[in-house]
Amino acid sequence: MPEISGYAFPNDVHVHWSLMIVMYPYITGFVAGAFIVTALYHLFGKKEFEPVARLALATSFCFMAIATFPLNLHLGHAERAFNVVVTPHFSSAMAGFGLLYSGYFVILLLEVWFVYRREIIETARRSRGVKRVFYAALALGTYDTSPEALEIDHRAVKLLSAFGLPAACMLHGYVGFIFGGIKANPWWSTPLMPVIFLLSAAVSGIALLVLLYQVTAKLGRRPIERETVQAMARWLWFFLILTVTLELLEIVLLAYENSDAWHIISQLLTTRLEFSFISVQMIGGSLVPFILLAIVVTMNAYLHDRVRNTLASVASLLLLVQVFSMRWNVVIGGQLLSKSFRGLRSGYQPSLFGREGVIVAIALFVLPFVLLWVFDRVLPIEPAAAPSDPRHEPAAEPARRTA
Amino acid sequence: MESARHVFRVLFLLLVVVVIFSVGRTFLVPKSYGAYGPYRFDNVAEQAAIRPPQHGGSASCGACHAERLKAVAAGAHRRVGCEVCHAPLARHVQDGARIAAMPVDRSFTLCARCHRRIEGRPAAFPQIVLAQHQGGVEGTACIDCHAPHSPKL
């Protein structure tokens, strides 16, 4: 039984939004964050991001594929999940999900298709039997890889990124909106919430790619591009600063206004969330990576590659934890305080087993990486060799970009 | 345009998906969805059907307790339902026959629930200060002096 300190309303003692609701924004965050990285390359022409653009797209896709799982696990009626897609409407933020999710998924599918079309065709040409039929179907039966057709693909990808970026931002912003729109809860109800969610999504997405990029490069025995790590570290630093500034702004404003809610929120932060907010989210997850990334960004010229990669990786790992703890502090923290503003529930411990338990959460986090591996089997993320097209040079050409 | 054929194919495929979705949707969306808002209106009747009413109102007691009903209707508690002091009809009677004893609360707390003095109650409502009424009645049965069905003395 939860213990109550102070005075809590009887219906405020349960944490209904469980660990799965923490996992949901965490996982959709990677969808949006990874898409931002692809968009930096495809839309904003940041050449440093080329080596990770395809990886980022695949990552976004794989996380998107399982983004609904935590919700279904939480609700326990997976067979009803389709209802939200067939009856979308705007009277509730949650019901808007059907539109946002399917819209973004279509854009993502199309973008993957246009990016990989040439390879799909080449694989179809190379293979026989069932495999050939599969890839021919994927290619929709047209085998046109003329430069004009590839140019059209290129423009299509750009256009799709242009639509995909706002769609990804909306998909994740609306998750924050669901919390920001709950006016009875002072810890949630702020218009900053969607923005904070979105920026921290960018942080988690880039951080994940910093790690994934280095791991995949190691596994594929490709060199790790200095410029790419450097650029990702710089953007990571930028988004980290924005996120933490807004997160603190929200709290500082409450404290400065000394609003009625501050009485309980200050207690919440210093007692129930002392570890997960102050120690993990603010110090270990924000201050430390901020310093590490500051070293990478400002002392670029003096850093050995090994040092830079290690610093960036450690910072990224910490940031993955930071974003998780931020989701935790928002979702769980908001349910520990009573609407009376006078009482707190004791901390929430998720069960280990069970549908919404820790093991399922870990499995959920691992699943996208398994999907990523499958994705790589079907559509190789790093093209092995593709001499025909100058625009898609293989990544294994270290001297090119380090200049 | 020749080299954009694949774009047309994918757009066509998308169109097919949209058509299948729109057609499939008409089968998947329940008939009464949206009649009064974004929910299945038939559900209201379905829920009502699986939740038979528990209360019957004072008149329903009259079918078997006509004298009591008359007594209550003539007294100061005429506006207080029988089931407020006893329990819902469904606990006592089913299909026109008594299935279980109806609870009877003889303690003073039953009456104090409504008649103990509280600032928030309308001043005109008959209220007593338990410690002062008839030399202090807290803990004693009110029904020693008052008849619950016609309480005015």
Side-chain angles (χ1 to χ4, degrees):
Chain A
M1 271 305 282
E3 278 173 37
I4 306 296
S5 63
Y7 174 77
F9 293 141
N11 54 347
D12 282 343
V13 300
H14 300 290
V15 170
H16 292 290
W17 284 3
S18 66
L19 181 60
M20 285 300 125
I21 303 299
V22 179
M23 287 306 287
Y24 174 62
Y26 194 49
I27 283 178
T28 40
F30 291 118
V31 177
F35 197 86
I36 288 172
V37 175
T38 20
L40 281 174
Y41 171 66
H42 286 301
L43 197 57
F44 300 108
K46 297 255 173 284
K47 285 278 170 280
E48 318 83 272
F49 283 95
E50 204 209 320
V52 284
R54 290 163 64 110
L55 179 63
L57 187 64
T59 308
S60 184
F61 184 81
C62 292
F63 274 93
M64 184 69 180
I66 66 135
T68 58
F69 286 21
L71 292 182
N72 279 324
L73 282 165
H74 174 66
L75 295 172
H77 266 293
E79 79 280 4
R80 295 185 194 162
F82 207 53
N83 289 356
V84 77
V85 181
V86 294
T87 59
H89 61 93
F90 287 109
S91 67
S92 116
M94 289 198 194
F97 172 87
L99 287 173
L100 291 171
Y101 185 85
S102 11
Y104 178 64
F105 204 57
V106 168
I107 293 177
L108 201 55
L109 265 177
L110 287 178
E111 181 158 347
V112 168
W113 190 73
F114 277 111
V115 167
Y116 284 94
R117 206 178 63 84
R118 190 176 53 87
E119 275 118 309
I120 293 173
I121 292 170
E122 278 163 8
T123 319
R125 281 189 184 131
R126 251 188 284 120
S127 42
R128 296 268 156 275
V130 183
K131 195 172 170 197
R132 188 190 180 108
V133 174
F134 173 72
Y135 281 97
L138 267 191
L140 298 182
T142 54
Y143 282 20
D144 189 355
T145 49
S146 62
E148 299 82 46
L150 291 180
E151 180 54 32
I152 287 177
D153 286 355
H154 191 62
R155 268 188 274 151
V157 169
K158 203 160 189 161
L159 188 73
L160 285 167
S161 302
F163 282 110
L165 190 58
C169 291
M170 266 160 72
L171 180 73
H172 199 66
Y174 112 97
V175 180
F177 184 88
I178 284 179
F179 289 98
I182 295 181
K183 66 179 167 193
N185 192 321
W187 181 230
W188 288 341
S189 173
T190 152
L192 282 183
M193 201 54 96
V195 187
I196 294 177
F197 264 67
L198 193 57
L199 290 171
S200 60
V203 170
S204 69
I206 301 174
L208 181 69
L209 280 164
V210 169
L211 294 170
L212 262 184
Y213 171 59
Q214 298 188 39
V215 170
T216 51
K218 280 260 157 63
L219 288 179
R221 294 182 208 296
R222 288 183 298 273
I224 297 170
E225 308 281 345
R226 175 192 301 162
E227 288 300 307
T228 305
V229 175
Q230 181 63 28
M232 284 201 284
R234 208 178 313 120
W235 283 87
L236 193 53
W237 197 51
F238 171 67
F239 279 117
L240 171 65
I241 292 171
L242 281 184
T243 314
V244 177
T245 308
L246 289 188
E247 282 168 5
L248 284 177
L249 174 66
E250 191 201 328
I251 293 166
V252 169
L253 194 74
L254 276 171
Y256 183 72
E257 285 179 338
N258 208 352
S259 63
D260 49 350
W262 177 243
H263 170 77
I264 194 73
I265 288 179
S266 58
Q267 274 185 49
L268 177 73
L269 294 181
T270 51
T271 61
R272 300 297 191 270
L273 301 183
E274 189 190 15
F275 175 70
S276 61
F277 183 77
I278 298 177
S279 309
V280 180
Q281 190 183 336
M282 282 303 154
I283 298 173
S286 301
L287 187 64
V288 176
F290 170 79
I291 295 169
L292 296 182
L293 290 173
I295 297 172
V296 175
V297 173
T298 56
M299 313 217 294
N300 182 21
Y302 312 103
L303 289 183
H304 189 271
D305 277 0
R306 272 289 249 313
V307 178
R308 175 183 309 99
N309 294 348
T310 312
L311 285 178
S313 303
V314 173
S316 298
L317 263 179
L318 288 173
L319 284 172
L320 288 183
V321 177
Q322 189 252 25
V323 175
F324 182 81
S325 65
M326 177 262 170
R327 309 296 196 232
W328 174 277
N329 291 330
V330 169
V331 176
I332 303 298
Q335 297 174 88
L336 298 184
L337 61 91
S338 172
K339 312 293 175 297
S340 66
F341 295 2
R342 285 293 174 273
L344 290 173
R345 208 201 95 118
S346 54
Y348 164 72
Q349 264 127 18
S351 59
L352 185 58
F353 306 101
R355 212 179 41 177
E356 303 189 52
V358 175
I359 290 179
V360 173
I362 293 172
L364 268 180
F365 187 68
V366 173
L367 195 56
F369 298 103
V370 177
L371 286 183
L372 203 57
W373 179 81
V374 176
F375 188 105
D376 189 44
R377 295 288 104 157
V378 182
L379 302 172
I381 290 168
E382 287 302 328
S388 58
D389 179 19
R391 218 179 307 108
H392 291 269
E393 284 163 331
E397 254 180 60
R400 185 162 48 90
R401 266 178 299 261
T402 39
Chain B
M1 279 300 98
E2 183 56 30
S3 48
R5 184 188 283 151
H6 63 284
V7 178
F8 292 117
R9 288 219 179 162
V10 78
L11 287 180
F12 179 72
L13 189 67
L14 200 61
L15 188 74
V16 171
V17 170
V18 169
V19 169
I20 290 177
F21 177 80
S22 326
V23 174
R25 187 179 174 275
T26 57
F27 292 106
L28 289 170
V29 176
K31 249 213 334 275
S32 65
Y33 177 86
Y36 289 94
Y39 64 95
R40 191 169 62 84
F41 182 63
D42 285 348
N43 192 39
V44 176
E46 282 165 25
Q47 294 299 320
I50 57 171
R51 288 178 178 75
Q54 302 290 301
H55 291 82
S58 296
S60 71
C61 312
C64 304
H65 302 287
E67 288 304 309
R68 303 264 176 190
L69 182 62
K70 221 182 271 166
V72 173
H77 274 163
R78 75 189 81 81
R79 278 183 286 152
V80 183
C82 319
E83 291 160 303
V84 177
C85 292
H86 294 286
L89 175 69
R91 263 215 240 151
H92 175 52
V93 171
Q94 230 163 48
D95 301 324
R98 177 173 178 269
I99 51 156
M102 185 59 126
V104 178
D105 183 356
R106 294 186 170 84
S107 73
F108 84 101
T109 50
L110 171 71
C111 319
R113 182 155 51 115
C114 294
H115 289 292
R116 153 187 275 147
R117 167 154 292 287
I118 290 178
E119 288 304 331
R121 292 211 165 107
F125 185 79
Q127 301 164 65
I128 55 161
V129 178
L130 288 176
Q132 288 166 11
H133 185 60
Q134 301 296 319
V137 288
E138 177 137 24
T140 49
C142 314
I143 55 173
D144 285 352
C145 299
H146 297 278
H149 295 149
S150 185
K152 191 157 178 135
L153 293 179

